[in-house]
Amino acid sequence: MKSIADIKAIREKMQSVVQMRTQGVNGKAVGPYKYQILVCGGTGCHSNSSAKIIDEFNAQLKAVGMEKDVLIVQTGCFGLCAVGPVVIVYPEEAFYSKIEVKDVKEIVEQHLVNGKICEQFLHGEAGGVKVKSLPETDFYKKQTRVALRNCGVINPECIDEYIAFDGYQALIKVLTEMKEQEVIDVVLASGIRGRGGAGFPTGRKWQFTKDAPGDIKYVCCNADEGDPGAFMDRSVLEGDPHAVLEAMAIAGYAIGAKQGYIYVRAEYPIAVNRLKIAIEQAKEYGLLGKNILGTGFDFDIDIRLGAGAFVCGEETALMTSIEGNRGEPRPRPPFPAIKGLFAKPTLLNNVETYANICQIILKGADWFKGFGTEKSKGTKVFALGGKIHNTGLVEIPMGTPLRTVVEEIGGGVPNGKKFKAAQTGGPSGGCIPASLIDTPIDYDSLIAIGSMMGSGGLIVMDEDNCMVDIAKFFLEFTVDESCGKCTACRVGTKRLLELLTKVTEGTATEKTLEEMENLCYYIKDNSLCGLGQTAPNPVLSTLRYFKDEYIAHVRDKKCPAGVCKKLLNFNIDKEKCIGCGMCARQCPAGAIVKTDYVAAGHKLPSYTIDAGKCVKCGACLPTCKFKAISKG
């Protein structure tokens, strides 16, 4: 067990080790190592052999006798997932992207032994411009990293590195200088709102739980990130787990709780493993457990694994699951702050919310309010995906226009396609059309246009996406994930999906669209929890902004984007077809047959498609180099 003095001594000692990552950008080595190599150890890069890259660095450094001169650091996600695995070499801060195991030997020999940056491995921006450091990229220039401040900077499995970057200093400040109410007052004054979706003021939730009667209270962390395409919370837990543990301990002190639970999905094995390591380290140092740092404050944290049920992201369903029961939502009121886990007052925030707390305590409410808008303070983390150049993890000040995220940070839509829409909030959110691309990203602005912040998924779509099909995709997800407890969600979403399927198959009428809209509002008004209440949002937003596509499906029996199979027809232009037969060899249904017609200028008979046999798989399209095949 460490004392407060011990923690401060560790901080001072480790700062000399890690300062190269903050002060070594001038190309000069500082601290005990000549070089430091940071290798991304997030899920994306890990699945692309980053662990083998680290092993190869160790082997090559040993081969040249530099193993004691170089510190290799496995970090969390750097953010720019599109170009992983990422390797950064300090003190030059050389940003190497898409590194393979075979590249390591050349980096060691050329950069570490001979002192020459490997230009061939430097990250290239759009247009081929080489970027020498990560902060210089277009991806990073417009970002402000608060919740992600340590991701890609520290070794998440080393508590000493976290301490070096002011880790556990907020907890020390709270336990030695502040009363419980003073902590809550700072959180209230910061204006931070919950980053899990609804955007409820965090300080008010803390206050309600503190004021609730009862000697036993709990602190919970919602890490049950279930939105398709979302990986914000996972990345924080993989890259900076101690930030969440420290914030939960602070919350426990503020509300009078001695026990915390982190509910994380079992599909996040790296995050779960690093959480376990972090909890063990914190207990060993006396930062969790009995009599923390000799202050008399007791607080412990345990992990509970979820089985992947989306509904368990709802607060009451999550607590029911922690209790060992089937994860189903409970009617509210009473709210969890009054009657939550084990029927005791319970505070629940998500990972990203907790990741902001320590910085608010250390730097003050006014500092945090310096980012964002009047009603949406601070920054927000987004998982940027879909039809975008720079897929990855983005943290921006609230109020940043969507255009900035898509065109500047994201690098725009690839392949010369046009931006069509962005989906925020996952299955609970809505689609923002291109006409509203200048909408500021904050809680109230998104709700005003029929979308929502959600936990932070942001999926970009281009002209090749069918918005009716997109709505169907998200609705299929919520139908599968409904717990079935209330009729409005269990039956209503299924009936809505049936109507939407009719639209995509060309069997609906314009009256069907009216039925769909009426059913959407019924489901919203009568569902028990947020899953059902927000399930119709993708349908309502696409009906609102892309009504012309629905009309085309219903009235013209066509899918303008050429996505909905039942409305597709594949054709071969007999004048363009040279009769090579490549398409026929690729067709799994034998639907492409030779004709007797020979086009002018060609020697072989053209082919045609038997509509009765065609399964509309589209396998023929990419095989034709002469663009003789079309769909419509």
Side-chain angles (χ1 to χ4, degrees):
M1 179 179 292
K2 307 291 184 182
S3 65
I4 292 176
D6 292 332
I7 299 298
K8 291 183 176 179
I10 292 171
R11 178 169 172 261
E12 291 176 5
K13 177 183 176 181
M14 285 300 299
Q15 282 181 337
S16 66
V17 175
V18 303
Q19 64 179 322
M20 190 186 295
R21 300 172 216 170
T22 57
Q23 300 174 17
V25 291
N26 59 2
K28 296 181 181 179
V30 290
Y33 297 98
K34 185 176 181 180
Y35 292 103
Q36 293 192 25
I37 303 173
L38 275 57
V39 182
C40 177
T43 291
C45 290
H46 187 83
S47 66
N48 208 2
S49 302
S50 67
K52 292 181 180 179
I53 289 172
I54 292 175
D55 291 340
E56 184 66 11
F57 266 116
N58 283 319
Q60 294 298 328
L61 288 170
K62 189 174 182 179
V64 297
M66 291 186 67
E67 65 268 30
K68 294 183 180 179
D69 299 324
V70 180
L71 176 66
I72 299 176
V73 182
Q74 177 181 254
T75 71
C77 178
F78 285 96
L80 192 47
C81 304
V83 298
V86 170
V87 173
I88 297 181
V89 180
Y90 287 91
E92 294 85 0
E93 202 173 10
F95 171 29
Y96 298 137
S97 63
K98 296 183 179 179
I99 296 302
E100 300 179 34
V101 174
K102 64 180 179 62
D103 302 327
V104 171
K105 183 177 181 181
E106 192 168 353
I107 292 173
V108 170
E109 292 179 350
Q110 183 176 324
H111 190 155
L112 305 186
V113 175
N114 295 322
K116 291 181 62 179
I117 291 177
C118 300
E119 299 281 343
Q120 65 272 33
F121 299 131
L122 287 176
H123 171 65
E125 295 276 43
V129 178
K130 293 289 186 179
V131 180
K132 291 188 176 181
S133 71
L134 195 59
E136 294 177 15
T137 64
D138 293 335
F139 180 79
Y140 260 75
K141 286 177 182 176
K142 295 295 178 72
Q143 291 194 51
T144 302
R145 293 166 75 85
V146 179
L148 300 179
R149 64 193 177 279
N150 288 334
C151 293
V153 178
I154 68 171
N155 178 354
E157 297 181 16
C158 177
I159 189 173
D160 287 359
E161 289 212 351
Y162 176 70
I163 290 172
F165 285 90
D166 294 334
Y168 289 104
Q169 294 303 304
L171 180 60
I172 291 173
K173 179 179 179 180
V174 162
L175 296 181
T176 60
E177 301 177 20
M178 303 175 72
K179 296 179 180 179
E180 293 89 339
Q181 186 58 49
E182 290 175 336
V183 176
I184 295 177
D185 288 342
V186 172
V187 178
L188 280 166
S190 72
I192 183 173
R193 296 169 65 173
R195 293 330 195 219
F200 189 82
T202 302
R204 288 177 60 190
K205 186 181 285 190
W206 288 34
Q207 188 71 67
F208 290 153
T209 315
K210 179 184 185 300
D211 293 343
D215 296 330
I216 299 177
K217 298 180 181 180
Y218 296 102
V219 173
C220 289
C221 175
N222 184 351
D224 190 57
E225 186 174 52
D227 289 5
F231 50 94
M232 302 77 58
D233 290 350
R234 184 196 75 198
S235 296
V236 172
L237 293 178
E238 290 177 353
D240 197 15
H242 284 283
V244 177
L245 302 185
E246 183 180 7
M248 289 179 69
I250 290 171
Y253 173 78
I255 70 166
K258 298 183 183 298
Q259 178 65 48
Y261 292 97
I262 300 177
Y263 188 86
V264 58
R265 54 183 44 236
E267 295 95 329
Y268 286 175
I270 296 176
V272 171
N273 182 57
R274 289 179 183 168
L275 268 176
K276 289 179 178 178
I277 292 171
I279 289 172
E280 290 174 2
Q281 291 175 340
K283 287 181 177 180
E284 180 185 348
Y285 275 32
L287 296 163
L288 287 177
K290 298 287 186 181
N291 191 25
I292 293 175
L293 297 174
T295 62
F297 172 58
D298 302 338
F299 188 77
D300 214 338
I301 295 176
D302 290 314
I303 298 173
R304 292 292 182 267
L305 299 182
F310 181 63
V311 73
C312 286
E314 194 276 337
E315 58 182 6
T316 60
L318 180 151
M319 293 174 195
T320 303
S321 181
I322 291 178
E323 293 168 356
N325 300 312
R326 175 175 175 166
E328 292 181 334
R330 301 193 286 248
R332 298 174 300 175
F335 291 93
I338 305 300
K339 187 179 181 181
L341 185 63
F342 303 116
K344 302 297 183 183
T346 304
L347 172 67
L348 175 71
N349 290 125
N350 84 324
V351 171
E352 186 185 341
T353 309
Y354 284 124
N356 283 279
I357 295 299
C358 297
Q359 292 297 293
I360 291 173
I361 296 297
L362 287 176
K363 297 182 179 180
D366 289 340
W367 167 82
F368 188 79
K369 289 192 294 185
F371 309 111
T373 66
E374 182 180 354
K375 295 183 179 180
S376 298
K377 304 297 184 185
T379 60
K380 181 72 188 77
V381 180
F382 287 95
L384 185 61
K387 306 289 186 65
I388 194 78
H389 274 288
N390 298 330
T391 57
L393 209 60
V394 174
E395 186 170 5
I396 53 171
M398 291 279 195
T400 299
L402 176 61
R403 183 187 297 275
T404 300
V405 178
V406 173
E407 296 183 356
E408 298 182 42
I409 297 174
V413 178
N415 304 318
K417 299 290 184 177
K418 294 180 180 179
F419 170 75
K420 186 173 187 177
Q423 167 81 8
T424 62
S428 304
C431 294
I432 305 170
S435 60
L436 296 176
I437 193 172
D438 291 309
T439 300
I441 300 176
D442 60 67
Y443 293 103
D444 302 307
S445 297
L446 292 182
I447 290 174
I449 61 173
S451 188
M452 65 182 294
M453 184 81 71
S455 57
L458 202 163
I459 300 174
V460 177
M461 289 160 274
D462 68 10
E463 59 197 87
D464 292 337
N465 287 106
C466 169
M467 302 312 295
V468 183
D469 183 68
I470 289 293
K472 182 185 174 187
F473 167 79
F474 284 112
L475 191 58
E476 285 174 335
F477 179 85
T478 49
V479 167
D480 286 342
E481 294 294 339
S482 172
C483 74
K485 186 171 183 177
C486 68
T487 305
C489 180
R490 181 183 70 249
V491 179
T493 55
K494 190 170 183 179
R495 175 59 178 153
L496 183 59
L497 179 59
E498 290 170 358
L499 295 174
L500 193 55
T501 301
K502 285 184 177 182
V503 176
T504 61
E505 293 181 350
T507 59
T509 65
E510 291 187 47
K511 186 177 180 181
T512 306
L513 303 184
E514 295 179 16
E515 293 176 9
M516 285 171 51
E517 191 165 2
N518 291 335
L519 183 54
C520 282
Y521 287 112
Y522 178 85
I523 296 169
K524 287 178 71 71
D525 293 340
N526 293 281
S527 293
L528 176 62
C529 80
L531 186 150
Q533 291 163 8
T534 60
N537 284 350
V539 178
L540 286 171
S541 66
T542 50
L543 274 171
R544 179 178 178 181
Y545 296 115
F546 301 95
K547 190 70 172 283
D548 58 323
E549 290 196 31
Y550 281 88
I551 295 298
H553 283 70
V554 171
R555 185 184 297 165
D556 305 326
K557 309 303 178 187
K558 290 184 178 180
C559 175
V563 172
C564 299
K565 285 188 177 182
K566 291 291 181 71
L567 302 180
L568 281 182
N569 288 303
F570 287 85
N571 299 289
I572 297 178
D573 187 333
K574 63 181 182 180
E575 300 299 331
K576 292 182 179 179
C577 178
I578 67 167
C580 67
M582 284 293 293
C583 57
R585 289 191 286 274
Q586 288 294 321
C587 180
I592 302 179
V593 294
K594 189 181 293 186
T595 70
D596 295 330
Y597 180 80
V598 179
H602 299 315
K603 298 179 180 180
L604 300 174
S606 65
Y607 282 76
T608 188
I609 297 176
D610 185 339
K613 290 183 179 180
C614 180
V615 296
K616 303 176 182 180
C617 65
C620 57
L621 272 176
T623 64
C624 184
K625 298 179 180 179
F626 304 95
K627 298 182 179 180
I629 304 175
S630 61
K631 66 177 180 178

